Amino acid sequence: MPIEIAWTAISQGPDAIPFWPYIKFYAPLLGIIYLLKRFFGGTQNTWERDMHGRVVMVTGGTSGIGAAVVEDLAKRGAQIILLVKSLSDGWLVEYIADLRESSGNNLIYAEEVDLSSLHSVRLFATKWLDNSPPRRLDMVICCAGLFQPPFKQRMFTADGIEAHWGINYVGHYHLLNLLSPSFRVQPPDRDVRIILTGCSTYVLADFDITDPEFINRGFPSSKPWRAFGSAKLALLMFVRQFQRMLDEYKRPDGNANNARVFMANPGFVRTATLRNFISFGSLWGLLMYLIMWPFWWLVLKSPIQGAQTILHIAMSPECSSGQGGKIYNECREVTRRYGPF
């Protein structure tokens, strides 16, 4: 059939092709849309890795980018530990059951870790570390986060910390620091990776180390990306510092540190968090979002596309050796001295 059409076009001219006026009009348009979609969709992870036997903790693993990461790793055989806000949610039971069935992996569990409560984080970390012999832990992936819509009142965590700072930075900082003994006791031949999720909004941060919660300066409710970006910028600096802390530890067996910390920039992704931000957290905003959905579909990544850089770090052999504390964007290490994303 394609050969016949090509011969018709050559022998009789393109006008002889059925529906040629429509093809001539729509084909360039569809081609442009296809190229734009490929461009905005970002780079795909090309590495494969057998994850059977690996133990992976994930925050924010029930929706958005985190859910896409969890689904991919579960299909590869990893034992997944979902760190969730509450275990009493009936939806969580159905989610895990569906995930086990779709992935063919029954090693998927949930533990209660409310990142907005430092007490909850300590309870989990204490329970995890209080085990002999030490539990296996190959990877921690931090995808949980909060991005408040504009013109909303300041939110606080259970500890009275501004929510952007408390959940995006302090909660993960506390969790990883408390779990650091578990990273250090892993056997020297084990490949331990800690992956945090960044965001390009760090360039819009209004960061002041003396006032990270915007107490004295006033919360920028009309520009919440300043608070969100500040937390992501602090998390970026924490990646470097936490790697130095792990490297400075002297193992009793004399081996070098085998835990490496990375930050991944997933790009702008069609998640519930971003949808809530774009719609201003209102019904009218949601209606406008739905009307403009073709545009958002074109320029925003899907969750699985946003997960590609995280999956690249989780699987790439280049992340299993050498120095940690690196930043990755579009499945490539960022080597620019300024502007890590």
Side-chain angles (χ1 to χ4, degrees):
M1 186 69 175
I3 297 177
E4 294 178 1
I5 294 176
W7 175 250
T8 301
I10 294 172
S11 61
Q12 304 179 30
D15 291 335
I17 299 175
F19 307 107
W20 172 247
Y22 298 99
I23 295 174
K24 182 171 63 174
F25 179 80
Y26 288 108
L29 180 61
L30 293 175
I32 292 173
I33 292 175
Y34 172 78
L35 292 175
L36 287 174
K37 186 61 180 173
R38 286 289 300 271
F39 173 77
F40 288 114
T43 308
Q44 299 295 306
N45 167 53
T46 57
W47 291 107
E48 296 289 336
R49 184 184 180 192
D50 183 6
M51 298 296 293
H52 284 88
R54 272 73 173 185
V55 178
V56 182
M57 281 185 188
V58 185
T59 70
T62 58
S63 65
I65 299 171
V69 170
V70 166
E71 183 177 1
D72 188 284
L73 295 180
K75 290 179 178 178
R76 298 175 187 272
Q79 178 179 333
I80 306 292
I81 302 173
L82 298 169
L83 305 186
V84 299
K85 186 175 182 179
S86 174
L87 295 176
S88 60
D89 189 348
W91 174 86
L92 177 64
V93 177
E94 295 182 5
Y95 173 78
I96 293 178
D98 291 343
L99 186 58
R100 287 177 175 176
E101 182 179 358
S102 62
S103 64
N105 182 354
N106 289 321
L107 299 177
I108 303 172
Y109 310 94
E111 293 282 355
E112 184 169 326
V113 181
D114 184 358
L115 292 171
S116 67
S117 169
L118 299 182
H119 176 67
S120 174
V121 174
R122 287 194 296 272
L123 281 179
F124 166 75
T126 302
K127 181 173 66 172
W128 180 266
L129 296 174
D130 187 18
N131 193 77
S132 184
R135 297 185 182 186
R136 175 166 186 158
L137 183 58
D138 297 89
M139 194 177 298
V140 178
I141 303 176
C142 300
C143 295
L146 170 74
F147 196 179
Q148 194 173 335
F151 305 109
K152 299 295 182 180
Q153 292 184 350
R154 181 200 303 262
M155 296 174 60
F156 294 94
T157 68
D159 303 288
I161 303 172
E162 192 276 318
H164 288 96
W165 184 252
I167 294 175
N168 297 315
Y169 175 68
V170 177
H172 284 113
Y173 172 92
H174 200 49
L175 174 67
L176 294 176
N177 270 288
L178 291 176
L179 289 178
S180 59
S182 184
F183 304 142
R184 293 168 177 152
V185 300
Q186 300 301 315
D189 60 341
R190 189 164 294 166
D191 176 10
V192 182
R193 309 186 195 188
I194 301 125
I195 307 171
L196 295 97
T197 306
C199 182
S200 299
T201 53
Y202 86 98
V203 299
L204 303 175
D206 184 12
F207 184 70
D208 184 345
I209 197 170
T210 64
D211 187 27
E213 301 179 55
F214 293 86
I215 301 299
N216 301 324
R217 296 174 289 166
F219 180 71
S221 61
S222 62
K223 301 176 180 179
W225 51 83
R226 292 185 174 180
F228 179 77
S230 295
K232 290 298 183 180
L233 180 59
L235 206 60
L236 171 62
M237 293 185 285
F238 170 67
V239 167
R240 309 281 192 179
Q241 177 59 22
F242 193 49
Q243 185 66 62
R244 283 194 288 266
M245 291 171 56
L246 293 173
D247 290 340
E248 289 171 357
Y249 174 71
K250 305 299 182 182
R251 293 175 59 105
D253 55 18
N255 287 287
N257 166 57
N258 60 335
R260 294 171 181 83
V261 191
F262 303 95
M263 174 167 277
N265 177 25
F268 295 101
V269 186
R270 295 192 309 274
T271 62
T273 299
L274 187 59
R275 181 178 65 244
N276 192 39
F277 174 81
I278 293 175
S279 66
F280 285 52
S282 66
L283 290 177
W284 285 109
L286 180 60
L287 177 61
M288 291 302 299
Y289 178 89
L290 294 175
I291 293 173
M292 295 182 63
W293 191 87
F295 173 75
W296 303 126
W297 173 85
L298 181 64
V299 302
L300 298 178
K301 294 181 179 180
S302 66
I304 188 59
Q305 289 173 330
Q308 293 304 301
T309 299
I310 297 175
L311 294 173
H312 173 85
I313 298 173
M315 299 177 196
S316 172
E318 70 183 21
C319 296
S320 64
S321 61
Q323 183 62 37
K326 297 177 180 178
I327 315 300
Y328 278 78
N329 181 40
E330 297 298 344
C331 300
R332 291 185 294 271
E333 179 186 352
V334 177
T335 56
R336 295 191 300 271
R337 183 174 179 180
Y338 302 104
F341 295 150

